Amino acid sequence: MKNTIRQVFHSPKFVVGFCIFMAILLTMLVYPFINPGDPLKMIGLGTFAEPGTYVSMYDSVGAPFSTFKIPDADVKRLDKLLTQEDRAKMREWLELAQVDVSELDVGDMDSLLAMWKQHYDPEIRIPGMIKAVRNYYIRLNNSILSASVSDTLKVTDTDEATGETIEKTKISKTDYVNVDDVANVISLPLGTDNFGRDTLKQLVAACGVSISIGLIAGAVATALGLLLGLLAGYLGGWVDDFIMFFTNIFTVIPSFVLLILINYSINQDQRGAGTVALVIGLTSWVWTTRSVRSQVISLRNRDHVNLSRLSGHSLPRIILTDILPYIASYVMMAFILQVSSGILAEAQLSLLGLGPKTTEVPTLGLMMNWAMLYSAHLNGSWWAYFPVILVIALISFSLNLMNTGLDQVFNPTLRE
Amino acid sequence: MTMHDACAVDQHLTLAPKRIGDLENRPLCLSGKGVTKVFGTGAKQTVAVDHVDFAFHEGELVSIVGESGSGKTTLAKMLLGLISVTQGEICFQGKPRDISTSRKKREYWKGIQAIFQDPFSAFNVFNKIDTVLLDCIHMTGGRGLPHAKKVEMMEEACCFVNLKYAELTNKYPFELSGGQMQRLMIARVFLLKPRILVADEPTSMIDACSRATILDMLLQLRDEIGMTILFITHDIGLAYYISDSVYIMEHGKIVEQGTADEVILTPKAPYTKRLISDVPKIYEPWDLTTV
Ligand SMILES: Nc1ncnc2c1ncn2[C@@H]1O[C@H](COP(=O)(O)OP(=O)(O)OP(=O)(O)O)[C@@H](O)[C@H]1O
Ligand SMILES: [Mg+2]
């Protein structure tokens, strides 16, 4: 036994898979302590905030500041203001206004701005230009002007009693706030999703729920498959016929179709994560039953079982000590595969909108479902679905790697 | 064969065959009428054992001889009650055998035990040797004995088969050699002391040297405990040497039966004659090391 475990941990494939899986588990356990709170809390009011660190503007106004004179600060400010696209559009306008742009380089901010300020006039009407485009240029011009107008911004407030405008503070271009001095800073490494929820926190929670769904489904399927397979294989006769009759029926109906039908017939409010896990488990025991049965049939006529019978051992004892240990490694591998396919089945079901109800816990499948419903894939919000896909892939990759590793240890013909 | 020198110690058996005489006066301990075993149904049907009659007396060493696939193991398993009998009746100690419930089976197995063909697959590789031997003590009602007494019984059994108990404790069966495993199997039988022992080719998987030792132990069990031994073999020369009576089996049928001298010195069935002609030195004093 100890030897087998040592051998298992000498298989590189198993070790790699095990490490990936443990890393995922560890993250799942540790992350909620670093970032506690309800993963389904909507913190953002908009949808799909980009990944990054968010600093409260309100709090930064009053925060203590230091003054820095950084040479290219202005250029950077404009750089952020004008995207590459904006600059190309500016050049386009100049061209249409019959300005000679042959020597203009869009990368050179100063000359572009100089030329823009010199020639742009919102009154000039360019033939063929539609109103929306004209308005776009007006807006662009306004923001360029406001960025370059004054060196200081005044922050004012209105006294509610008198209606007087009070000047709160002045912010100069050279004022810098230390992020540590701002009361409210939130870090969203994966941004927010369509409901304005922290995607990373949700992903970690979903990962835990999905793995538990996989474990429950795998445990149910393996236990059921093992029990039926052992009974059918060892007892034979009418018990075997009876069990195989049901197994064959379930084999003919694709289990995913069955899964869809069952889940469809359960009301959405009653479909908790546990229920879904149970249903997945109850529809995927067939292959375990079949293969356990065939292994037991080949084992039951072995001499060591005969010897055990001749020693007067009872049926449960023979099954537990003479049959189970011989198929334990196989059952272990079947379990790992069932866990992996349970996780995938949940993801598929949720994508179809037949997963667990959406109000309690996130799951990997639900996250995908939400991202798809709010067309994250169309508006470029990759953070809402790509990390989820990556995690699903990593989990099933690590589980399958562990399985292959085990297979190589237990099945000597596969060893290199 | 140069085995001769190496096995000089085990040469108790190079003498002439030793038979027990008064067969007819001994009571029957196992007999059968029309015993048949059919595997499968329909087109894939195999008749492994076909209407076989037999009668074994107490303390007798009976050989069942036949080539591979003739149904010897199948017959043995039916006698042991490990597989069901398709047709026919088996009587145990004069009464029709009843093994319908697991309790009755357990009772039956106190009276009949086996040694299997392949020692390497006969033991559960997850159980230690102690477990194997302790199970036998428990089966014969020794569950309540003090531990020291059990150890003493195991030591005695190991001593009988030339194994050292101290070297075996905490070992697994697969850590032994084939011959040692087969001797462990005999130690089991020694502890259980059944009335009948079915030995299914106990020596076919081990070398000639261990073979003589094992045969010697079987004969000792017969002589000292009075066990009836059913010795299954494909080797008619060996059967002639050790057995009191011989059954010849061909394609599931018994084609000839009688005392060893009758069957082998004056064979009637053509199949028996062929089997005998395949053994070159049958009429010379038998040297087991060349078997
Ligand atoms: N479980 C089984 N199912 C179907 N057929 C079987 C089964 N066991 C044995 N047979 C068939 O019964 C016949 C007799 O087999 P058996 O094992 O009794 O032969 P044997 O005389 O012991 O041979 P060997 O000397 O090789 O051990 C063979 O033709 C075999 O194919
Ligand atoms: Mg056989």
Side-chain angles (χ1 to χ4, degrees), chain B residues 134 137 144-155 165:
Chain B
L134 274 176
I137 296 178
L145 290 176
H147 185 69
K149 174 70 183 156
K150 289 183 190 171
V151 171
E152 194 185 305
M153 287 168 82
M154 289 193 279
E155 271 169 352
Y165 174 73

Side-chain angles (χ1 to χ4, degrees), chain B residues 116-150:
Chain B
F116 293 114
Q117 194 162 358
D118 178 8
F120 296 93
S121 72
F123 291 102
N124 182 334
V125 294
F126 296 93
N127 283 350
K128 286 188 180 152
I129 289 166
D130 293 70
T131 322
V132 177
L133 294 177
L134 274 176
D135 278 344
C136 300
I137 296 178
H138 292 166
M139 191 178 170
T140 49
R143 194 173 285 276
L145 290 176
H147 185 69
K149 174 70 183 156
K150 289 183 190 171

Side-chain angles (χ1 to χ4, degrees), chain A residues 5 7 21 35 84 125 147 149 157 159 180 200 206 224 250 281 284 293 312 344 357 384 404:
Chain A
I5 292 175
Q7 241 179 13
F21 195 71
N35 190 357
Q84 285 296 333
R125 284 184 184 274
V149 165
D157 199 359
D159 190 313
D180 292 342
L200 180 62
L224 205 61
F250 274 89
S284 51
R293 174 180 172 267
L344 291 179
K357 61 180 154 195
T404 325

Side-chain angles (χ1 to χ4, degrees), chain A residues 222 226 287-295 324-337 403 406-407 410-411:
Chain A
T222 311
L226 186 61
W287 291 108
T288 317
T289 303
R290 286 179 155 267
S291 38
V292 166
R293 174 180 172 267
S294 63
Q295 299 220 356
L324 257 189
Y326 282 81
I327 56 171
S329 59
Y330 176 79
V331 172
M332 184 66 208
M333 295 196 299
F335 174 69
I336 292 181
L337 275 190
N403 203 46
L406 285 180
D407 209 9
F410 295 133
N411 196 345

Side-chain angles (χ1 to χ4, degrees), chain B residues 202-245:
Chain B
T203 58
S204 67
M205 303 288 278
I206 45 187
D207 61 276
C209 188
S210 311
R211 187 172 301 175
T213 327
I214 302 260
L215 290 175
D216 187 26
M217 283 167 188
L218 289 183
L219 286 174
Q220 227 174 313
L221 279 177
R222 197 262 312 255
D223 295 342
E224 289 174 13
I225 307 176
M227 240 176 242
T228 307
I229 297 180
L230 190 60
F231 188 80
I232 295 175
T233 180
H234 55 262
D235 188 330
I236 198 164
L238 190 56
Y240 171 75
Y241 183 72
I242 63 167
S243 42
D244 301 308
S245 41

Side-chain angles (χ1 to χ4, degrees), chain B residues 67-74 76-77 117 200-201 232:
Chain B
E67 58 187 5
S68 184
S70 54
K72 307 183 297 289
T73 301
T74 311
K77 284 189 175 159
Q117 194 162 358
D200 184 1
E201 307 199 37
I232 295 175

Side-chain angles (χ1 to χ4, degrees), chain A residues 5-182:
Chain A
I5 292 175
R6 192 176 315 142
Q7 241 179 13
V8 164
F9 278 94
H10 276 187
S11 148
K13 280 188 187 163
F14 181 86
V15 171
V16 171
F18 187 77
C19 287
I20 298 176
F21 195 71
M22 283 298 130
I24 294 173
L25 281 188
L26 202 69
T27 318
M28 252 168 48
L29 290 180
V30 171
Y31 190 78
F33 289 103
I34 300 171
N35 190 357
D38 176 13
L40 287 185
K41 181 137 186 69
M42 300 185 192
I43 49 171
L45 292 189
T47 64
F48 297 126
E50 284 202 36
T53 305
Y54 288 78
V55 180
S56 160
M57 274 163 113
Y58 190 91
D59 291 345
S60 16
V61 171
F65 59 85
S66 319
T67 307
F68 293 100
K69 280 223 181 307
I70 294 168
D72 53 352
D74 276 330
V75 180
K76 277 192 180 163
R77 202 166 282 130
L78 272 170
D79 263 355
K80 264 270 180 264
L81 194 67
L82 298 175
T83 61
Q84 285 296 333
E85 203 183 332
D86 289 332
R87 286 177 223 178
K89 280 269 162 59
M90 282 160 75
R91 185 197 157 105
E92 213 174 284
W93 188 92
L94 291 171
E95 225 168 346
L96 290 170
Q98 261 103 43
V99 182
D100 176 24
V101 288
S102 52
E103 269 150 46
L104 183 69
D105 171 17
V106 253
D108 182 358
M109 207 62 176
D110 286 336
S111 52
L112 177 66
L113 276 179
M115 198 173 266
W116 178 260
K117 281 179 188 157
Q118 185 189 338
H119 297 285
Y120 183 77
D121 180 356
E123 298 305 314
I124 297 177
R125 284 184 184 274
I126 290 167
M129 182 176 282
I130 57 169
K131 191 148 188 243
V133 179
R134 224 169 78 86
N135 284 343
Y136 160 78
Y137 281 113
I138 292 171
R139 272 201 310 277
L140 190 64
N141 187 47
N142 287 343
S143 57
I144 290 171
L145 289 180
S146 67
S148 39
V149 165
S150 64
D151 276 353
T152 52
L153 268 180
K154 278 193 202 113
V155 179
T156 60
D157 199 359
T158 316
D159 190 313
E160 281 186 9
T162 59
E164 239 178 287
T165 304
I166 323 158
E167 188 182 312
K168 279 271 193 196
T169 184
K170 271 191 189 134
I171 301 173
S172 149
K173 277 185 175 171
T174 52
D175 291 348
Y176 286 81
V177 173
N178 187 335
V179 174
D180 292 342
D181 290 334
V182 181

